[in-house]
Amino acid sequence: MSFNEAFKAIADPTRRKILSLLRKGDLTAGEIASHFDMQKPSVSHHLKILKQADLVQDRRDGQHIYYSLNTTVFQDLLSWFYDFVEKEGKKQ
Amino acid sequence: MSFNEAFKAIADPTRRKILSLLRKGDLTAGEIASHFDMQKPSVSHHLKILKQADLVQDRRDGQHIYYSLNTTVFQDLLSWFYDFVEKEGKKQ
DNA sequence: TAGATATTTAGAAAATCATCTAAATACCAG
DNA sequence: CTGGTATTTAGATGATTTTCTAAATATCTA
């Protein structure tokens, strides 16, 4: 069900940058927001979309909310692309 | 430059279905349109977006215009996803 | 409990996108 | 050249998306 949601989530450059940031380690919402020229509520909105697409997970630690990558959906998306590249010419 | 364009192109389910259809072989614009509950100009619009993203190529053959996959951009997209799955835990 | 910090939710405005109909372009056959 | 088929372009409309500000919620510390 979240296959389409994931593709839509990844279509936005801000969200792709968030995912790239999280590749180096978990970050709080505030730390993520500090990388963008954008108000915090806007970044929060992007995080919500990534979460709904199951591309990230969040956990609260006191006042902070930490975000981390969830790579299981990436596996599915990777497979989708792999089929185009791999099965080239095989017509099946 | 067309990296972002490609992600946006792929975000739409109609366009992903077009790409899947083309995996089995080249098709004319009309053949592609026949798979959708949508007017031909709408499908033509989707084809234009896929073409601008370099995900498909077109060639005219008489009255028909044939569309075919261009897998080189898929390679780039595949790599992007691969980095998330592969380098998991390596933090670099 | 009161004040400070971190984050999200709500609601509005502007931009972008998907779709439609009507018209234009390109090519073929007679 | 004329009529027919294939496809795209133009322009409009409604839906979705991104961003903003203001307000709400959650947690910490004194």
Side-chain angles (χ1 to χ4, degrees):
Chain A
M1 218 294 283
S2 68
F3 202 68
N4 185 53
E5 256 172 319
F7 273 113
K8 288 215 278 183
I10 284 172
D12 182 87
T14 298
R15 292 193 288 265
R16 284 200 305 280
K17 185 172 169 187
I18 291 173
L19 293 172
S20 290
L21 289 170
L22 291 176
R23 220 153 58 89
K24 305 186 193 97
D26 300 354
L27 294 171
T28 67
E31 287 169 337
I32 293 168
S34 74
H35 286 85
F36 296 92
D37 252 359
M38 190 184 291
Q39 298 307 308
K40 282 178 186 173
S42 302
V43 175
S44 181
H45 168 73
H46 285 302
L47 289 169
K48 186 178 184 179
I49 287 169
L50 289 170
K51 203 168 79 175
Q52 281 170 344
D54 252 343
L55 291 164
V56 304
Q57 293 171 322
D58 65 346
R59 65 177 187 283
R60 181 175 278 275
D61 180 14
Q63 274 173 301
H64 298 96
I65 296 180
Y66 278 90
Y67 281 87
S68 57
L69 285 181
N70 175 14
T71 55
T72 61
V73 177
F74 283 92
Q75 289 277 5
D76 295 341
L77 297 172
L78 184 67
S79 300
W80 189 85
F81 285 100
Y82 188 70
D83 287 347
F84 281 94
V85 175
E86 159 69 4
K87 299 187 178 166
E88 235 299 79
K90 296 189 181 172
K91 310 304 182 200
Q92 214 266 44
Chain B
M1 215 295 283
S2 68
F3 203 67
N4 185 53
E5 257 172 317
F7 273 112
K8 287 214 279 184
I10 284 171
D12 183 86
T14 298
R15 293 193 288 263
R16 284 200 304 280
K17 186 172 169 186
I18 291 173
L19 293 172
S20 291
L21 289 169
L22 292 176
R23 219 153 59 89
K24 306 189 191 92
D26 300 354
L27 294 171
T28 68
E31 287 169 335
I32 292 168
S34 74
H35 286 84
F36 296 93
D37 252 358
M38 191 184 291
Q39 299 306 310
K40 281 177 186 175
S42 303
V43 175
S44 181
H45 168 73
H46 286 301
L47 289 170
K48 185 179 185 179
I49 287 169
L50 288 170
K51 204 168 79 176
Q52 281 169 346
D54 252 344
L55 291 163
V56 304
Q57 293 171 322
D58 64 346
R59 66 176 185 284
R60 182 175 277 276
D61 179 15
Q63 272 171 304
H64 300 276
I65 296 180
Y66 277 90
Y67 282 87
S68 57
L69 285 183
N70 175 13
T71 54
T72 61
V73 177
F74 283 92
Q75 288 276 6
D76 295 341
L77 297 171
L78 183 68
S79 299
W80 189 84
F81 285 100
Y82 187 70
D83 286 347
F84 280 95
V85 174
E86 158 69 5
K87 298 187 180 168
E88 234 299 79
K90 296 187 185 176
K91 309 305 181 200
Q92 215 270 44

